[in-house]
């Protein structure tokens, strides 16, 4: 996966991610072991490989694995495809119990995290120094090995094959290919020769930014890229002589080392780069008002943009698009400096997991050597046109005569190795909001780079923080003992009752037992484990040796360093919930009452009105995001269409829905209202059908108006049905991560559209603060539990009418 795609990945739900990362890590580890590492009669001859290869690559991999097995009688290799997040969380979970796959295949930028949790072994015993010299240095990633370093006390290599007697960093990844680098994709029907400098780039962009219908806004743009993600601005930074890390700290990033790095985001060179990039949108108007990754790709493939900056993971789709005649070229030089635009480049390759031990480790090492061999890389080059990591194959790559591969290779040679240190994750998070403010015209480059640097230092400190137990730990322990005593007392009473009742209802208990066991495994144990984690310091720094530290995580949220972020987001979440649920109930009840009356074709109306609820939420959310696009979305197109029939002084303004905080949050609310009202409508329809009609007949005899009938009969009779539905809807809306995440693209612009659950997801898990995340989840749980109990008690929803 590329970093841009990684940052745009849509999480299925906050609860799912939290359980994976905190509450049920041990349970998931056992599941990973059972699924990914199924035992065979001879475990030492079976190697499990987790990978992220694309379908075409998988076919080649399967062939190579069969040849390896044929050359190694008795050896069996099981290749398991996993999505990026599934692979990461599964490996982290498995590491907790010392199990998991033997080999991991994926991008180099994940190695820093794997190294920190001690998930990888040293690969140097399986590739000699001479072997390693045949690789592009950027394809070999070094870093600290597992905590025990795989050495015996005398410094000799142990049975796991770890190198002996060396203080150098371990070899953690051996790349078989390069990818994830950006280049310029252009439409040959509009641009005959790609630009060689940014002056030429700007001139061509202006020439191809065209208002075809004369309405005062461009219908086609000269240039587009995903300018919501800082990964895409790196080539401009390097072209102006800037870099994300301080190169004077002695850390060598050229060979993919995972060494520590200091961020260097506030420099004159960086400010000049951001000023140029912002001018393309805000001064020259050659960029659209908003462009995320999918939007930028769609504009180019539909012929509405002449040039696109994108990565090699999507070039095939651009080249196959019918509306353009696409070609790939290296990014131009920056005219102001004469320096080339150097994107980050990263290898994909194989790592040896700590789960590989004994003979299985030796076999896994041989397999990695085989899969990164010149022969295997040549097969992938010939059949899949991937850039090989071995330098000896570069001339062969050029000799294939493939224009795209040649351009990709030229861009690769001008690129810089993507840092694999832990700090890079904090740097991306720190760069994103200020960069979006620059592009939106809400901050100057000087203000933004200063904010980037300060935020990066703060986030790195959080990432590396090691919280120790404080004076409140005894309070937590005493409370835990008291709680266990209460549970034990309640269990004792329940056990006595069970022993008395069991002989009379053996069949009933036998039927209920599986459900009770399942509830314990999936609900009770994860909840209890999450409570413990919420008082712990579990993080990347204390992944396997975490301990209870007291109330630090809770005090940090309410009154500590994170309180300034927590409380504004909390109050925004309350507003979000009240507005959404209010519209859900109002619209749902109104439509239900209308449909309950003598309406012709009510069955057809019901089918149409239930569609928003029936369609998967993520599809609806992404559809609304497309409709809110400032340039080409249906909402602004409708506004422009209405303006045709209005006098000039009544023209409705076209709103920048996705790049301004207020409109973006409003867009999220509109999308969520659309998704939520059918539920309330269905609940209300069911309640209306249970109201006796003679009550309305008696009211009409008493000459009560329809409005009086509604408030005196309908509302009181619907109360027992609606109030629990309102509670349920409030809980759903309060925790509705999907709509906010998908419509606002992860809290954009500049993290100003978050509700509490999306804020927790992005602020906590991006920096691997599992203990703090567990505490915030318990705070959310306690808030919703208290609200539900108080609301139901106050409204007496459980009482009869």
């Amino acid at each position: 996966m590329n970093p841009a795609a990684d940052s745009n990945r849509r999480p299925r739900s906050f609860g799912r991610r939290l359980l994976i990362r905190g509450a049920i890590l041990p349970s998931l580890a056992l599941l990973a072991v059972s699924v990914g590492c199924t035992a065979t009669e001879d475990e030492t001859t079976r190697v499990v490989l987790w990978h992220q290869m694309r379908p075409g690559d998988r076919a080649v991999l399967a062939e190579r694995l069969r040849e390896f097995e044929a050359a190694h009688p008795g050896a069996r290799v099981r290749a398991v495809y996993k999505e990026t997040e599934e692979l990461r969380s599964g490996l982290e979970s498995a590491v907790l119990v010392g199990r998991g796959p033997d080999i991991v295949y994926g991008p180099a930028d994940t190695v820093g995290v794997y190294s920190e949790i001690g998930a990888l072994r040293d690969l140097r015993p399986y590739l000699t120094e001479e072997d390693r010299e045949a690789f592009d240095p950027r394809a070999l990633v070094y870093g600290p090995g597992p905590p025990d370093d795989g050495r015996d006390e005398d410094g000799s290599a142990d049975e796991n094959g770890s190198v002996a007697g060396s203080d150098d960093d371990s070899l953690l990844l051996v790349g078989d290919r390069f990818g994830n680098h950006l280049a310029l994709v252009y439409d040959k029907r509009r641009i005959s020769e790609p630009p060689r400098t940014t002056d030429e780039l700007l001139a061509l962009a202006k020439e191809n930014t065209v208002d075809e219908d004369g309405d005062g806004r461009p219908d086609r743009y000269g240039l587009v890229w995903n300018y919501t993600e800082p990964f895409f601005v790196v080539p401009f930074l390097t072209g102006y002589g800037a870099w994300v890390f301080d190169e004077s700290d002695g850390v060598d990033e050229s060979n993919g080392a995972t060494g520590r790095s200091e961020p260097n985001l506030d420099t004159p060179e960086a400010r000049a780069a951001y000023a140029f990039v912002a001018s393309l949108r805000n001064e020259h108007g050659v960029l659209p008002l908003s462009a995320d990754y999918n939007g930028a790709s769609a504009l180019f493939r539909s012929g509405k943009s002449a040039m696109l900056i994108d990565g090699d993971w999507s070039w095939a789709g651009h080249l196959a698009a019918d509306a353009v005649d696409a070609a790939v070229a290296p990014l131009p030089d920056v005219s102001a400096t004469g320096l080339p635009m150097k994107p980050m480049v990263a290898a994909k390759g194989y790592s040896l997991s700590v789960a590989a031990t004994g003979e299985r480790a030796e076999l896994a090492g041989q397999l990695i050597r085989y899969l990164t061999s010149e022969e295997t890389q040549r097969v992938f080059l010939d059949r899949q046109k991937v850039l090989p990591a071995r330098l000896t194959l570069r001339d062969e790559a050029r000799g294939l005569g493939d224009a795209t591969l040649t351009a990709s290779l030229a861009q690769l040679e001008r690129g810089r190795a993507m840092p694999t240190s832990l700090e890079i994750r904090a740097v991306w998070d720190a760069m994103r909001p200020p960069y979006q403010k620059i592009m939106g015209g809400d901050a100057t480059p000087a203000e933004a780079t200063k904010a980037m640097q300060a935020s990066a230092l703060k986030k790195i400190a959080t990432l590396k923080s090691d919280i120790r137990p404080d004076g409140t730990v005894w309070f937590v322990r005493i409370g835990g003992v008291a709680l266990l005593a209460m549970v034990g007392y309640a269990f004792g009473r329940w056990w006595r009752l069970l022993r008395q009742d069991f002989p009379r209802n053996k069949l009933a208990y036998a039927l209920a037992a599986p459900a009770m066991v399942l509830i314990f495994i999936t609900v009770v144990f994860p909840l209890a484990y999450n409570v413990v984690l919420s008082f712990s310091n579990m993080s990347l720094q204390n992944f396997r040796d975490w301990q209870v530290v007291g109330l630090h995580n809770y005090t940090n949220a309410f009154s500590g360093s994170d309180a300034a972020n927590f409380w504004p987001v909390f109050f925004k979440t309350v507003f979000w919930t009240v507005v959404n649920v209010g519209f859900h109930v109002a619209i749902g009840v109104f439509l239900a009452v209308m449909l309950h009356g003598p309406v012709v074709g009510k069955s057809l109306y019901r089918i149409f009105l239930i569609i928003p609820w029936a369609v998967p939420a993520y599809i609806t959310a992404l559809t609304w995001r497309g409709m809110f696009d400032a340039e080409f979305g249906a909402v602004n197109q409708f506004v422009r269409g209405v303006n045709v029939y209005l006098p000039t002084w009544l023209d409705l303004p076209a709103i920048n829905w996705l790049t301004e905080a207020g409109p973006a949050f409003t867009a999220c609310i509109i999308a969520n209202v659309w998704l939520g009202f059918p539920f309330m409508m269905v609940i209300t329809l069911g309640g209306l059908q249970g109201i006796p009609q003679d009550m309305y007949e008696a009211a009409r005899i008493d000459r009560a108006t329809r409005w009086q009938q509604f408030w005196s009969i309908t509302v009181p009779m619907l109360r027992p049905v609606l109030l629990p539905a309102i509670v349920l809807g409030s809980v759903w809306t309060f925790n509705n991560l999907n709509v906010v995440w998908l419509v606002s693209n992860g809290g954009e612009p500049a993290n100003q559209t978050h509700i509490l659950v999306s804020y927790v997801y992005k602020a906590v898990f991006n920096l691997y603060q599992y203990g703090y995340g567990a505490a915030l989840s318990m705070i959310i749980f306690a808030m919703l539990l208290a609200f539900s109990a108080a609301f139901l008690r106050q409204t007496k929803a459980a009482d009869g009418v």
Side-chain angles (χ1 to χ4, degrees):
M1 288 291 293
N2 64 85
D6 181 65
S7 64
N8 284 287
R9 276 195 313 274
R10 318 302 192 197
R12 293 185 180 90
S13 71
F14 167 72
R16 178 180 181 274
R17 177 76 177 269
L18 180 58
L19 290 178
I20 289 175
R21 292 298 184 90
I24 58 169
L25 279 171
S27 301
L28 188 57
L30 295 177
L31 180 61
V33 171
S34 63
V35 173
C37 308
T38 306
T40 63
E41 295 180 0
D42 183 7
E43 290 188 5
T44 61
T45 63
R46 187 179 184 90
V47 174
V48 177
L49 164 64
W50 286 1
H51 67 88
Q52 300 169 295
M53 291 190 180
R54 292 171 292 189
D57 293 338
R58 289 178 223 167
V60 179
L61 175 66
E63 293 180 10
R64 303 304 295 170
L65 292 181
R66 285 195 294 269
E67 293 185 14
F68 177 82
E69 291 174 345
H72 296 76
R76 293 293 180 269
V77 182
R78 183 185 180 195
V80 181
Y81 172 79
K82 290 182 176 291
E83 294 290 347
T84 300
E85 195 54 46
E86 184 184 9
L87 192 152
R88 285 183 186 177
S89 58
L91 184 62
E92 292 168 12
S93 304
V95 165
L96 285 175
V97 292
R99 301 298 297 271
D102 302 293
I103 302 174
V104 177
Y105 179 86
D109 61 293
T110 60
V111 172
V113 175
Y114 297 159
S115 172
E116 190 69 25
I117 64 177
L120 305 180
R121 292 200 181 280
D122 191 4
L123 279 167
R124 286 179 296 172
Y126 309 104
L127 282 92
T128 66
E129 185 174 350
E130 183 179 355
D131 291 332
R132 298 197 292 271
E133 289 177 353
F135 286 83
D136 186 317
R138 296 171 296 182
L140 304 176
V141 179
Y142 294 86
D148 63 358
D149 202 26
R151 296 187 178 91
D152 292 334
E153 293 181 1
D154 61 358
S156 61
D158 66 8
E159 65 174 3
N160 300 326
S162 295
V163 72
S166 173
D167 294 328
D168 296 336
D169 281 340
S170 301
L171 177 58
L172 302 180
L173 179 139
V174 179
D176 71 327
R177 70 187 66 187
F178 274 99
N180 292 351
H181 52 277
L182 301 172
L184 183 70
V185 188
Y186 64 99
D187 187 354
K188 291 190 292 184
R189 296 186 306 181
R190 305 190 188 280
I191 296 176
S192 57
E193 291 292 332
R196 291 169 297 179
T197 66
T198 51
D199 284 346
E200 293 182 9
L201 177 76
L202 180 57
L204 287 171
K206 287 182 175 180
E207 180 183 330
N208 285 277
T209 301
V210 181
D211 178 10
E212 296 175 337
D213 56 10
D215 63 353
R217 65 180 187 87
D219 298 289
R220 189 175 78 244
Y221 286 91
L223 179 64
V224 68
W225 75 81
N226 175 19
Y227 59 74
T228 64
E229 286 299 323
F231 174 77
F232 287 80
V233 82
V234 168
F236 293 95
L237 294 176
T238 56
Y240 276 87
W243 186 239
V244 294
F245 287 125
D246 185 0
E247 297 178 291
S248 64
D249 62 2
V251 175
D252 180 15
E253 294 290 353
S254 64
N255 65 350
T258 60
R260 304 304 186 207
S261 304
E262 286 293 325
N264 192 34
L265 305 174
D266 187 16
T267 64
E269 295 81 6
R271 291 192 285 272
Y274 287 120
F276 174 76
V277 170
S279 71
L280 295 176
R281 175 188 185 269
N282 304 326
E283 179 183 342
H284 301 295
V286 297
L287 290 177
L289 294 177
S290 63
D292 59 9
Y293 183 76
N294 294 326
S297 296
L299 285 177
F300 180 78
R301 295 184 185 185
S302 61
K304 294 182 178 179
S305 176
M307 293 179 288
L308 167 72
I309 298 176
D310 206 350
D312 65 340
W313 57 86
S314 58
W315 293 346
H318 301 324
L319 296 173
D322 295 330
V324 295
D325 183 12
V328 179
L331 293 167
D333 296 341
V334 173
S335 300
T337 64
L339 297 175
M341 294 173 63
K342 298 180 180 180
M344 286 184 175
V345 299
K348 288 185 178 181
Y350 298 90
S351 300
L352 183 63
S353 166
V354 292
T357 58
E359 294 182 21
R360 205 167 72 248
E362 181 66 28
L363 185 62
Q366 294 178 22
L367 177 59
I368 292 176
R369 182 185 178 92
Y370 175 78
L371 292 175
T372 58
S373 66
E374 183 174 320
E375 178 188 356
T376 299
Q377 289 192 31
R378 180 177 289 111
V379 173
F380 275 101
L381 170 62
D382 293 338
R383 294 178 54 179
Q384 297 301 113
K385 302 298 186 292
V386 298
L387 292 178
R390 286 183 174 266
L391 297 173
T392 54
L393 295 175
R394 293 291 169 82
D395 289 338
E396 294 185 25
R398 294 186 182 93
L400 292 177
D402 186 288
T404 302
L405 190 61
T406 302
S408 180
L409 184 57
Q411 188 67 81
L412 169 66
E413 293 174 344
R414 298 177 66 177
R416 292 198 59 172
M418 177 183 293
T420 59
S421 58
L422 286 176
E423 289 85 351
I424 189 62
R425 194 171 185 93
V427 167
W428 291 136
D429 280 355
M431 291 176 67
R432 188 175 294 109
Y435 171 49
Q436 292 174 1
K437 286 187 176 182
I438 292 175
M439 298 304 293
D442 299 324
T444 65
E447 295 169 342
T449 54
K450 182 178 180 180
M452 288 179 189
Q453 181 70 12
S455 178
L457 293 173
K458 181 179 179 180
K459 289 179 181 295
I460 289 174
T462 300
L463 189 65
K464 296 181 179 180
S465 62
D466 185 10
I467 303 168
R468 311 316 300 171
D470 56 25
T472 62
V473 71
W474 291 105
F475 174 79
V476 173
R477 290 174 178 172
I478 292 172
V481 171
L483 181 62
L484 287 176
M486 294 172 59
V487 172
Y489 176 75
F491 180 81
R493 294 188 58 187
W494 173 82
W495 181 252
R496 288 192 297 271
L497 294 174
L498 177 64
R499 291 175 60 184
Q500 295 173 4
D501 192 55
F502 182 75
R504 297 192 298 270
N505 298 287
K506 292 182 179 180
L507 179 60
Y509 284 107
L511 294 174
M516 297 301 295
V517 171
L518 187 62
I519 289 174
F520 177 83
I521 293 175
T522 60
V523 178
V524 178
F525 173 72
L527 179 61
Y529 194 80
N530 196 65
V531 171
V532 176
L533 280 185
S534 70
F535 298 104
S536 77
N537 62 350
M538 187 180 187
S539 65
L540 214 57
Q541 301 296 319
N542 302 286
F543 191 69
R544 290 189 284 187
D545 57 351
W546 59 269
Q547 57 184 315
V548 174
V549 295
L551 298 174
H552 177 273
N553 293 326
Y554 291 92
T555 57
N556 184 39
F558 289 124
S559 59
S561 59
D562 200 46
N565 297 320
F566 175 83
W567 287 112
V569 175
F570 168 72
F571 289 119
K572 185 185 295 183
T573 307
V574 173
F575 174 78
W576 153 271
T577 305
V578 171
V579 170
N580 274 287
V581 174
F583 276 109
H584 291 167
V585 174
I587 297 174
V589 171
F590 174 78
L591 291 175
V593 171
M594 295 297 101
L595 292 177
H596 188 64
V599 179
V600 178
K602 65 172 61 179
S603 298
L604 185 61
Y605 293 145
R606 288 177 180 176
I607 292 174
F608 281 125
L609 290 172
I610 206 68
I611 287 177
W613 194 34
V615 175
Y618 72 92
I619 293 178
T620 301
L622 291 176
T623 301
W624 275 104
R625 177 170 176 80
M627 292 169 61
F628 281 120
D629 183 83
E631 299 287 348
F632 305 102
V635 175
N636 277 358
Q637 294 282 17
F638 174 76
V639 170
R640 296 184 185 103
V642 171
N643 285 340
V644 173
Y645 302 98
L646 296 176
T648 305
W649 59 276
L650 279 179
D651 275 359
L652 300 174
I655 300 174
N656 240 349
W657 288 100
L658 302 178
T659 57
E660 298 179 12
F665 195 63
T666 303
C668 294
I669 291 177
I670 293 173
N672 197 59
V673 169
W674 170 261
L675 280 167
F677 78 81
F679 171 74
M680 290 298 177
M681 183 189 73
V682 171
I683 293 295
T684 305
L685 277 173
L688 289 173
Q689 293 173 4
I691 300 177
Q693 292 302 308
D694 54 5
M695 299 182 69
Y696 291 103
E697 294 174 0
R700 285 192 290 270
I701 292 174
D702 291 338
R703 297 182 180 181
T705 64
R706 288 181 178 270
W707 188 249
Q708 291 173 326
Q709 293 176 39
F710 176 77
W711 281 108
S712 300
I713 300 175
T714 305
V715 172
M717 296 296 289
L718 286 177
R719 191 163 169 263
V721 176
L722 272 182
L723 291 180
I726 290 173
V727 172
L728 189 59
S730 299
V731 172
W732 285 347
T733 303
F734 196 95
N735 280 331
N736 195 344
L737 170 67
N738 291 336
V739 171
V740 171
W741 194 274
L742 296 176
V743 174
S744 71
N745 197 30
E748 295 173 4
N751 290 337
Q752 297 179 83
T753 54
H754 281 304
I755 60 174
L756 193 57
V757 68
S758 64
Y759 161 76
V760 171
Y761 178 91
K762 198 164 189 176
V764 175
F765 292 121
N766 278 8
L767 299 179
Y768 299 96
Q769 301 297 300
Y770 302 129
Y772 183 51
L776 289 177
S777 71
M778 294 309 303
I779 292 172
I780 294 174
F781 172 75
M783 288 177 174
L784 293 176
L785 181 64
F787 161 76
S788 301
F791 183 84
L792 292 175
R793 182 173 181 177
Q794 187 68 25
T795 57
K796 299 179 181 180
D799 295 349
V801 179

